[in-house]
Amino acid sequence: MSRKEFYLSLLLSFFLMYVYIPASLPVEGGVFLTVLGAMFFTVQLFKHSTFYISKAFLVLPGIFLYLFVFQFYSKPIPISYITLYRWLIYSLLFLVSYVSLRHEIDRKIWRNALITIAILVSLLSVYEVLDWYLRYFKVSKSLEYLQMPQMAYRLQGNIFGHPNPLAGFLNFVWPLLFVRLYNSKELKEKISWLLGLLVISIAFVYTNSRGALLGTFVAILVLSLSFIFRKGFGFKIKAIVQNKKEKKSFFVVIGVLGVLLVSMLWRSVFTGQFHNRSFSGRGTIWEYSWKSFLESPIFGQGIGAFPISYTKLAQLPPGDFAPSAHNLWLQFGVDYGIVGIVFVCTLIGFFFLYSWKTLQQKSDGKLSYKIAYIAAGMAFLAQQTVDYMFVTANYLVSFLVILVFLLKDVVLGGEWKLDRKSYFILVTVLIGVLGGYQQVVSSQVTSISKYIEQSHLYDIEDWGALEDSICVDADTHSLNALYKFECAMAVVQQVLLEQDVDAENHLDAALDKAIYYQQTGFDLNPYWATQEANLAVLYWEKGEKSKALSLMQNAVASAPISD
């Protein structure tokens, strides 16, 4: 590896590892990622005069137009606009990344970045496991009367925030490592890649992710099929058995992958994951997700509306909600209806078709990275039957990298050759649309700097300053119901702290202000029973008891199990 390749791989690794930080900031983070994409685009303009874009990119303008129209029929909540804004950002990054893959060396740099992250995160995970077991044995030795705790541990997820997306990411990478192991000629290389696979396998085992385990099993099947097809033998397994070299290669692959699968199955049984767990509540989540889908089956509940719809149907207590349906098709069905499901299934159908054609291609004796991309894609789809992890930014971006590989090398739908002027116009228009949506999002969500300031005021209980700050946001960000609820809360808390003789004179004015913001917020988001109950309390204090009772009865009827 040259020094240039090393530094570029390291830079990409850093970006992919920490992309979740700007991705979590709708305003500043969106600007940062847009500028980053624009810088990448500028470098491409200076380096090249021709650019190649897959014809499959034609689907992106169609998706944008659909989401643009659909947002006006979605619930008037900021996440609708933020979702489309993020989609535009990822489209920009996806486009410039695809264009960057001009030669095999470019693909190698991206693969190196993914492998670097996987090994680094796996090493940190192994350290986490060892540290836990050391503390476990230390504590267990001091126990004399208490029952021994269960000797099982599940990783925290490291930079991915949860073990499920961590395991899903490792499913993207281990097929790449396996291809390098298989194609390596020198013993040192084979040992290094084998050690890398071992470290990743240990980390994978301790994620205890059943969805990822299912994905691994499917990826193993794909790799096994590739060995059956690789010389054009089709399903003639006898031809492989009769060829000593093919026989040895085939059974080595099955042996290595079999050990990996058995170890993960053993870990799942050992930790009790197959005993009365119902996929950790998946049955309940799927039940209410299905009910939510049936409420609006054609076009769905709206962009980003899943948490609202699910919380209402499941009657969850305040603060609890399911962030996703834990199933790709159910998630799209709830948000986008049958239209969304059909669209996703169509894309998956094309992926299956081209993957099947690729698997049947003859090879020169080496294992192609195309097979690794297909295995990673199949593992992703298998895991998405019981998980939905697009809410994790660095997992989503890693998936987009695999998708770029698939689009470039597997889904061969043809490419357009663009000159510098055409490419400049195309990306500039996309960045222009992004700029417009950045303004829309800025009008709905406050900046992170102001959020930190307000959080500090809340912690020190400076309700007067918080009221002045948050109520300005409530007026500025007209469609953000949360700011209006928080403004009403700050007003009430400030009145409660007043000790001067004029407090009684201020009470009516303060109640009127609090009721105004609370009512305005509830009009924007009438799906939050707790806020309806808070509005009832304000009307009760105001003396309008009949209205307060009506609101409280309605809140109880819509969420009877809430506190």
Side-chain angles (χ1 to χ4, degrees), residues 134-395:
L134 287 173
R135 289 185 288 109
Y136 169 86
F137 288 117
K138 183 179 179 180
V139 171
S140 62
K141 287 181 180 179
S142 64
L143 294 178
E144 297 181 5
Y145 303 104
L146 297 178
Q147 183 180 0
M148 287 280 290
Q150 183 182 6
M151 195 178 72
Y153 181 70
R154 190 182 193 193
L155 291 170
Q156 299 299 308
N158 210 285
I159 59 173
F160 294 90
H162 192 277
N164 284 344
L166 169 58
F169 170 75
L170 295 179
N171 264 341
F172 290 154
V173 179
W174 74 257
L176 301 176
L177 266 176
F178 182 81
V179 170
R180 289 198 173 181
L181 170 64
Y182 183 85
N183 292 337
S184 298
K185 294 181 179 179
E186 296 183 7
L187 182 60
K188 289 182 179 180
E189 287 186 14
K190 287 184 179 292
I191 293 175
S192 63
W193 297 129
L194 188 60
L195 287 174
L197 271 174
L198 179 62
V199 171
I200 289 176
S201 299
I202 294 172
F204 192 103
V205 165
Y206 280 93
T207 61
N208 293 343
S209 175
R210 286 142 295 180
L213 175 63
L214 180 62
T216 302
F217 181 77
V218 172
I220 289 171
L221 291 179
V222 170
L223 285 170
S224 301
L225 282 174
S226 72
F227 276 86
I228 295 174
F229 289 141
R230 60 196 293 268
K231 290 290 186 180
F233 291 130
F235 281 102
K236 299 177 182 178
I237 301 179
K238 288 183 179 180
I240 293 179
V241 175
Q242 292 171 358
N243 186 309
K244 291 183 178 180
K245 185 178 179 180
E246 290 297 320
K247 181 179 178 180
K248 181 180 178 182
S249 300
F250 179 75
F251 284 107
V252 166
V253 171
I254 296 301
V256 172
L257 298 179
V259 169
L260 179 65
L261 179 59
V262 170
S263 67
M264 287 179 284
L265 283 171
W266 171 83
R267 178 66 183 170
S268 297
V269 173
F270 177 72
T271 54
Q273 293 187 30
F274 294 135
H275 301 292
N276 301 320
R277 293 292 294 276
S278 184
F279 280 87
S280 298
R282 296 298 197 277
T284 301
I285 294 174
W286 291 339
E287 176 187 356
Y288 288 109
S289 298
W290 178 251
K291 289 180 179 179
S292 181
F293 165 72
L294 292 179
E295 282 190 338
S296 183
I298 305 301
F299 296 106
Q301 298 282 355
I303 302 174
F306 175 85
I308 293 175
S309 177
Y310 183 93
T311 302
K312 177 184 175 184
L313 287 170
Q315 299 181 3
L316 296 180
D320 290 352
F321 72 98
S324 73
H326 286 278
N327 178 280
L328 177 68
W329 294 267
L330 262 180
Q331 182 75 29
F332 274 78
V334 172
D335 283 348
Y336 306 103
I338 293 176
V339 174
I341 294 175
V342 169
F343 174 75
V344 170
C345 288
T346 301
L347 294 183
I348 293 173
F350 278 110
F351 168 62
F352 284 163
L353 175 63
Y354 284 103
S355 296
W356 181 253
K357 290 181 178 180
T358 301
L359 284 173
Q360 296 183 85
Q361 292 175 358
K362 295 183 180 181
S363 71
D364 57 359
K366 290 186 176 181
L367 191 60
S368 172
Y369 279 107
K370 295 178 184 180
I371 307 301
Y373 306 150
I374 294 172
M378 293 295 185
F380 162 81
L381 289 176
Q383 185 170 2
Q384 298 308 303
T385 59
V386 295
D387 286 315
Y388 178 82
M389 297 174 300
F390 283 161
V391 293
T392 304
N394 39 8
Y395 174 85

Side-chain angles (χ1 to χ4, degrees), residues 25-26 128 291 444 478 484 544:
L25 309 175
E128 182 184 330
K291 289 180 179 179
Q444 304 304 320
S478 58
K484 301 184 188 302
E544 299 184 28

Side-chain angles (χ1 to χ4, degrees), residues 6-26:
F6 173 77
Y7 286 121
L8 285 175
S9 298
L10 202 62
L11 184 63
L12 283 174
S13 300
F14 184 82
F15 169 73
L16 293 173
M17 285 179 67
Y18 295 106
V19 68
Y20 70 92
I21 297 176
S24 65
L25 309 175

Side-chain angles (χ1 to χ4, degrees), residues 5 13 23 27 64 73 132 151 172 227 234 262 284 301 315 360 367 371-372 379 403 408 441 460 473 488 507 528:
E5 291 176 45
S13 300
V27 181
F64 171 73
Y73 296 93
W132 185 89
M151 195 178 72
F172 290 154
F227 276 86
V262 170
T284 301
Q301 298 282 355
Q315 299 181 3
Q360 296 183 85
L367 191 60
I371 307 301
L403 193 59
K408 192 74 175 179
V441 170
I460 65 176
D473 280 341
L507 181 60
W528 201 346

Side-chain angles (χ1 to χ4, degrees), residues 19-39:
V19 68
Y20 70 92
I21 297 176
S24 65
L25 309 175
V27 181
E28 294 93 335
V31 172
F32 173 81
L33 292 175
T34 302
V35 171
L36 195 65
M39 291 172 61

Side-chain angles (χ1 to χ4, degrees), residues 41-157:
F41 160 65
T42 303
V43 171
Q44 290 176 337
L45 285 178
F46 278 101
K47 286 184 63 177
H48 308 291
S49 58
T50 56
F51 307 88
Y52 297 90
I53 298 177
S54 170
K55 292 182 179 179
F57 275 96
L58 268 177
V59 73
L60 295 183
I63 296 174
F64 171 73
L65 289 175
Y66 178 78
L67 292 176
F68 178 78
V69 174
F70 192 48
Q71 70 181 338
F72 297 106
Y73 296 93
S74 301
K75 292 177 173 59
I77 51 179
I79 192 62
S80 297
Y81 303 98
I82 292 173
T83 298
L84 187 49
Y85 179 49
R86 286 173 175 166
W87 182 87
L88 287 167
I89 291 173
Y90 290 132
S91 295
L92 171 64
L93 297 177
F94 186 65
L95 176 61
V96 295
S97 298
Y98 180 91
V99 171
S100 72
L101 300 183
R102 304 176 69 89
H103 309 288
E104 176 58 25
I105 188 65
D106 302 317
R107 294 166 172 79
K108 183 180 178 181
I109 290 171
W110 281 95
R111 290 194 296 263
N112 287 343
L114 291 174
I115 291 172
T116 300
I117 297 171
I119 292 178
L120 180 59
V121 171
S122 297
L123 287 172
L124 292 173
S125 299
V126 170
Y127 172 79
E128 182 184 330
V129 171
L130 291 175
D131 178 65
W132 185 89
Y133 276 107
L134 287 173
R135 289 185 288 109
Y136 169 86
F137 288 117
K138 183 179 179 180
V139 171
S140 62
K141 287 181 180 179
S142 64
L143 294 178
E144 297 181 5
Y145 303 104
L146 297 178
Q147 183 180 0
M148 287 280 290
Q150 183 182 6
M151 195 178 72
Y153 181 70
R154 190 182 193 193
L155 291 170
Q156 299 299 308

